[in-house]
Amino acid sequence: MSATGVEKRITPPDIRARKGAEPIVMLTAYTWPIARIVDQHCDIALVGDSVGMVVHGLPSTLPVTLEMMILHGQAVARGLTRAMLVIDLPFGSYEESRELAFRSAARVIRETGAAAVKLEGGAHMADTIRFLTERGVPVMGHVGLLPQAVNTVGGYKVQGRGADGDRVLADARAVADAGAFAIVLEKIPASLAEEITAAVPVPTIGIGASAACDGQVLVTDDMLGLFTSFRPKFVKRFADLGPAADEAIKAYAAEVRARTYPAAEHLFADEAPGKKG
Ligand code: KIV
């Protein structure tokens, strides 16, 4: 908290300076109420394109549009006072050319107030990352498992096992050299995540990676246990809100059907309380 009582907003250079220091705490947020809670406890709120699967029930992140990211980004921005807002560039909004990437990133930043964008890809995206960072767009990289490449990879498989580790390491190095201020490492062996964290000069933020990373990120709905059927190995459930919500909705439905809700204490009298005739 500053002397004025107003917390300073966390910036990309602040995150960059956390390399090898205090762990960076990041969670996804797609809505205003969750953003307000994330803001209290985390350094970064990520409007991930996972919003497509988690909130909209889409089969993958591929159908997510720039408009969806901006709408959720605006809602989340209204809930943040301290945490840094990072927004994913969705599939099709940046891969074609560095100019398209800049136009998409500029639109996201202009319309949401985000401090940075995140984009997926290693060495093949380095030129685009350099183009953006040189033009005032802070970029968070994302290597290892790339959910937007689900069709080419053939599923959400662990990346970088055995000899393939060299490829992921080279990707992380290329992204860091191109100017990314931090890099998400998704679903790679713990030993490789440690090697990459030691090798690159910018913070690594792990998801299914290693506690040795400079920070961690999870999808908030996963760590809150909102999904009962989806249990990836790397997600620790810090709460069990799915079953709790199920119980609450079941109880509401039963009370409505039994006409026990609303009860007397939920109803309004014809006259306001305390009003004398
Ligand atoms: O879209 C997303 O939520 C992400 C995180 C899982 C890193 O990219």
Side-chain angles (χ1 to χ4, degrees), residues 185 188-199 204 206 208-214:
L185 305 181
I188 60 173
S191 55
L192 177 61
E194 285 178 39
E195 190 184 349
I196 293 174
T197 299
T204 58
S210 162
C213 290
D214 298 292

Side-chain angles (χ1 to χ4, degrees), residues 50-76:
S50 51
V51 67
M53 300 172 79
V54 175
V55 175
H56 296 269
L58 293 167
S60 74
T61 58
L62 300 179
V64 173
T65 63
L66 206 53
E67 285 68 29
M68 287 164 75
M69 298 307 297
I70 288 170
L71 193 62
H72 286 281
Q74 289 168 339
V76 169

Side-chain angles (χ1 to χ4, degrees), residues 142-184:
H142 184 152
V143 305
L145 174 68
L146 307 178
Q148 292 176 12
V150 60
N151 289 330
T152 41
V153 177
Y156 298 96
K157 301 171 186 162
V158 175
Q159 298 294 299
R161 281 196 165 126
D164 190 38
D166 289 345
R167 174 186 62 85
V168 182
L169 174 60
D171 278 344
R173 282 205 163 108
V175 167
D177 287 351
F181 69 91
I183 308 172
V184 168

